[in-house]
Every structure is written in structure tokens, then in C-alpha cells.
Amino acid sequence: GGFEYFYGFIGGETNQWYPAIYEATTPIEPEKTAEQGYHFTDDMTTKAIRWIRQQKSLAPDKPFFTYFAPGAMHAPHHVPKEWADKYAGKFDQGWDTLREEIFARQLKLGVIPEDSVLTARHAGIPAWDTITPVMKKVMARQMEVYAGFMEHTDHHIGRLFDSLRDLEILDDTLIYVILGDNGASAEGSLQGCFNEMAPLTGFAHLETEEFLVERIDQLGGFDSYGHYAVGWAHATNTPYQWTKQVASHFGGTRNGTIVHWPNGIKAKGEVRSQFHHVIDVAPTILEAAGLPHPVFVNGVQQRPIEGVSMAYSFDDAMAGERRETQYFEMAGNRGIYHKGWTAVTRHRTPWETGAVKLPPFDEDVWELYDTNTDWTQSKDLAREMPEKLAALQRQWLIEAVKYNVLPLDDRFAERANPDIAGRPQLVKGNRQLLFGGMGRLTEGSIVNYKNKSHAITAEVEVPATGAEGVIVAVGGNIGGWSLYAKGGTPIYTYNFYGVNRYTTLGTAEIPPGV
């Protein structure tokens, strides 16, 4: 809410070649196909540029706010082949060497302290030199696709910035570039995947080495829905431990951020290291714009904004930190930051999906780090300083109560199923009547058929030329089902993760008429 215009996708992700997009609340289809050159990042950039140009035409003195959140670099990794090919051979050295190369660059750039320590790779992530030669090729291609996807995204963000320059407002515009999504994602399994839905739901084993090798040239393309291997996620979270979902460690929470505002910030090309959280962005923008925090919106009283403006640090690299405390929690992984100290515990591992037996919360092992002197959380002080750890654990609990984190819920797949999760459902029961002529629906708007036997009855009007086309479908090439007519015959196909397709053919043509 709060936006005058929305263009994008609603779910956690979407196919970048064939996205499920909305303009405001209306589902729409792209004007051209992927085969004709369509890609969502290109499309959303064009829409954002048009919207900004329109604002500046109609109300040139009115400030504008744009929240530009591409599907990149989230899975699925989709990019035109020529962008991925630019990185051919650039990752043949593997993720262990890549971590060392990135770490050296970070030190040279001065974005991490010069006494930083590169953390060790967790034993659960394989060393690059243990990977078979044939899988090294597959995995290197996964990273080439990712790098191409990243540069492709940068290119389009550059188009957006160029449009601000063209409008002569670039120097007056406060720009936040937040690089990442809670740390790079380890949801693609230890070997990576062609179809990310398989590892996410506990079926990574369906994609055999042979299956992946056969599809190496399709990675990133129209038929893929891919994600890279865990080792690459760990490398792109250098110099930290762990990854997205592991909200305890900085590898799962910390993102690089660039702030650009030439006419508002005197400092140029400097590094800031005060600790801040994404909830601090809104208060910063409000302060920069000279606006008060909203108390009422459309007659509805607002909860207080819990963030802290970062504006105090813009022209003072040594300014005292104003966000001294921040809790973290995701799927039972927990952490707290307080004045440079962090107490953290990892409860579940992102690439272990399906029916995973998790330990009781009381058995989780907590670690303690002093990031005032150990920027990368490399030296665990829990055994040396049990009292400090206990104080921070207690502080985590206080923050958790304050912000409604409790009760902790470490379920994962179950939370996606409203029958188990206890979430409100738009359609209850086991029947639903859909009418022709309606627009595309989200899966959450239809009766929950998952992991259940189901029957579909369709009343159709068949023209004299015969029955042809889709009657109802869910999903796509990565999985789902479709009831359709081809050559007059009814057909039902169930697509199991893009690995197997089970088809039932009608025995007779559907006659013309109702």
C-alpha cells in the first residue's frame, strides 16, 4: 500500500522470461514473448522510466519515490545467453579460490577492515576439488549465468539512472542501491539445479548428474528455472559464514549498500561502517525529504516507525552509531547485534529441505562474536565469555517479545500449505466453481488441491471447427498440470518437476456445441 502505481509480480519470485505480472491489481500478459526478446528486468525498467518521466512532466516540483525491486538476482536465474557467455571460463577456478579472490578485492577496495579474517568454509559445503570434472563444468556454467544475470541487471539499473540524468535530476535524487536479498541464496542444493522447485520442496535427488549435464546449454534459458550450487552462494557472501535464511550470521543478513546524493551529501566516494538495518531506510528518506513520520494514513492510525535515520552518517564517517541493537530470526535461526557484539545460533540449514527432523530450540548451540575487533565473525568467544553470551541471549528474548517474534516456528514446507499452517484461506472446502472470461489467478485464490486427488469438470462451448486449446492450467514447464484439447481430443497432463510428464488422453473427440 501507499504507492500510486504498481507494476511487477506478487509472489516471492517469478519466471523472468514469462512473468506473472500485475499492473496495479490487474493481471496482465507481456506485450511480446521471450522468443521475441522479452525479459522482465528490461520491461520493468522501461515502465519505471516512463512513470518518472510522467511525474516530472505533470508535477516537476513534486518529489517522487520509486521502489525499484527487480526479480534479479533471486532465482530463477534467467538471462539472454550472450550475457552469460561473456563470463565463459571465468569461474573454472571454483568457489574456494573465488572466495580468496573476492576477499583480496574487498581488502584492496577498503570495504572491509584491513585486519579482517576470511572465515572457513563449513564442512557441509563440499570443497571444489572434490567435484567431478563433468559436474565442475555444469557448476561453472551456473555461475556464468548468475554473473551474466547480474551484469544484465546492472545494465538496466544504469538505464534508469541515465533517465534521471536526462531529466537533469540525478544530482538531486537520493538513491539507495541495496545489493542483495539477505545474503546470497543456498536454496539451489549442493549441486545446483535446473528447476529450483525440486530442491526447495525436498526433491533435489530427481535431478541426476546425467540430467544436469544434458541441460547445461539450456541453463538461464526459456526452458530452465535454475539456481546455482550452495558453494557459489557461500563464495558470493565472502568474507562471512553462511547464507540467506541463516539470519544468525552476517552471511545471511548483511548487504553492501551504495548511497548517492551529490546535492545532499558533501562526502564523495567514502565508506561508512555504522551498523544499520533495512527498516532504517524509510526514516532516512523521510528526514531527507523533510517529512514527519505519518501518524494517520487514510484515517488509520499507524504503528510507530521502528527505524533510525542514517542521515547523521552521510557527512560524518566517525559519527556514533544510532542503531545499537537489532534482533534477527528466520525459521528458527536467530541472532542479535548490540554495540558491535553478536550472539547467534543456527537452527536449520537452508539446503536441507523436505521432511527434516530439527533439534529442540533448547539444544541449539549459540556463538558469540565481537565484531568491533572481528568484522567477519571469525572467532567464536562463547566458551571464553559465557556471561556476555547469556546477557545477549536474554536481550534477544526481550527484543523477540517486543516485536512479536514468539512463538518460534521452525516449520518450512508446512508453512506453505494453509491446511497445515492454519493460515486464512480465500476458498475453503474442496469444491470451487470458476467461470470463463476471468483473468489469471494466484494459486492462493483457488481451492487447495496440493498433494490431494482431484477431479476437474469443465463445461465448454466447442465451435464448429473443433475443440482446441487450454481449458484450465496451473504452473508451467517447471511443474503443474493442464486440462486441454488438442485436435479435438481432451488431454490431461501432470508435469512432475519438469522431470516426468504423465498424460491421460481422451478416447473420443469432443463434439461441437455446448
Side-chain angles (χ1 to χ4, degrees), residues 227-244:
H227 199 323
Y228 58 17
V230 170
W232 297 123
H234 185 232
T236 52
N237 287 326
T238 301
Y240 301 116
Q241 303 178 59
W242 294 104
T243 61
K244 177 183 172 182

Side-chain angles (χ1 to χ4, degrees), residues 119-410:
T119 56
R121 174 176 34 76
H122 187 263
I125 305 171
W128 179 255
D129 62 17
T130 65
I131 307 298
T132 63
V134 67
M135 280 304 290
K136 277 182 177 175
K137 287 196 173 80
V138 171
M139 290 174 172
R141 184 58 180 173
Q142 292 166 5
M143 192 61 194
E144 290 166 16
V145 167
Y146 182 82
F149 195 18
M150 181 84 214
E151 190 183 342
H152 179 262
T153 309
D154 276 351
H155 167 77
H156 289 290
I157 291 171
R159 285 178 54 217
L160 183 64
F161 293 168
D162 286 346
S163 74
L164 300 179
R165 187 178 286 113
D166 181 52
L167 292 167
E168 298 183 350
I169 56 172
L170 182 61
D171 288 357
D172 288 318
T173 305
L174 170 60
I175 297 172
Y176 261 79
V177 182
I178 301 173
L179 304 161
D181 174 17
N182 334 305
S185 165
E187 295 155 341
S189 89
L190 293 171
Q191 64 177 11
C193 54
F194 188 72
N195 175 5
E196 180 217 6
M197 289 299 124
L200 269 186
T201 51
F203 284 86
H205 60 279
L206 290 174
E207 296 193 343
T208 61
E209 185 172 301
E210 183 184 27
F211 178 93
L212 292 169
V213 169
E214 276 177 6
R215 288 160 178 78
I216 186 170
D217 292 331
Q218 294 170 262
L219 277 171
F222 310 151
D223 296 322
S224 71
Y225 201 85
H227 199 323
Y228 58 17
V230 170
W232 297 123
H234 185 232
T236 52
N237 287 326
T238 301
Y240 301 116
Q241 303 178 59
W242 294 104
T243 61
K244 177 183 172 182
Q245 283 194 31
V246 186
S248 49
H249 297 69
F250 282 164
T253 56
R254 179 162 274 176
N255 286 308
T257 299
I258 302 163
V259 182
H260 182 264
W261 190 22
N263 289 348
I265 302 172
K266 294 189 193 76
K268 299 282 183 286
E270 294 181 7
V271 174
R272 295 289 179 269
S273 56
Q274 289 91 346
F275 185 96
H276 278 282
H277 189 267
V278 70
I279 63 171
D280 298 334
V281 175
T284 310
I285 291 166
L286 289 172
E287 182 176 335
L291 295 172
H293 292 193
V295 179
F296 282 86
V297 175
N298 296 332
V300 178
Q301 187 168 355
Q302 303 297 292
R303 292 178 57 179
I305 289 181
E306 287 143 2
V308 175
S309 170
M310 304 179 217
Y312 71 92
S313 67
F314 284 174
D315 283 315
D316 187 357
M318 305 312 293
E321 210 161 79
R322 293 192 188 172
R323 168 165 295 287
E324 295 185 330
T325 308
Q326 179 61 47
Y327 82 90
F328 297 93
E329 187 276 334
M330 184 176 180
N333 297 325
R334 289 160 283 161
I336 186 157
Y337 170 94
H338 182 66
K339 295 187 177 180
W341 288 84
T342 63
V344 305
T345 185
R346 180 181 56 84
H347 179 70
R348 69 149 57 235
T349 304
W351 58 86
E352 292 175 1
T353 56
V356 181
K357 184 154 176 53
L358 295 166
F361 289 115
D362 287 347
E363 290 179 15
D364 287 343
V365 177
W366 284 75
E367 301 158 22
L368 175 69
Y369 300 99
D370 178 6
T371 67
N372 296 299
T373 58
D374 175 21
W375 180 262
T376 63
Q377 296 177 315
S378 68
K379 185 173 171 17
D380 179 8
L381 303 172
R383 291 190 175 201
E384 296 168 40
M385 306 179 73
E387 289 177 9
K388 181 70 176 175
L389 176 61
L392 286 168
Q393 285 173 296
R394 181 172 179 273
Q395 198 167 357
W396 183 89
L397 206 53
I398 290 167
E399 294 290 303
V401 170
K402 191 168 156 187
Y403 296 115
N404 302 308
V405 180
L406 303 181
L408 288 171
D409 186 351
D410 59 359

Side-chain angles (χ1 to χ4, degrees), residues 203 206 454 479-484 491-505:
F203 284 86
L206 290 174
H454 61 267
W481 51 262
S482 178
L483 175 65
Y484 60 102
I491 304 172
Y492 177 87
T493 295
Y494 173 60
N495 178 5
F496 185 65
Y497 291 102
V499 177
N500 294 316
R501 293 193 181 195
Y502 303 92
T503 298
T504 304
L505 298 169

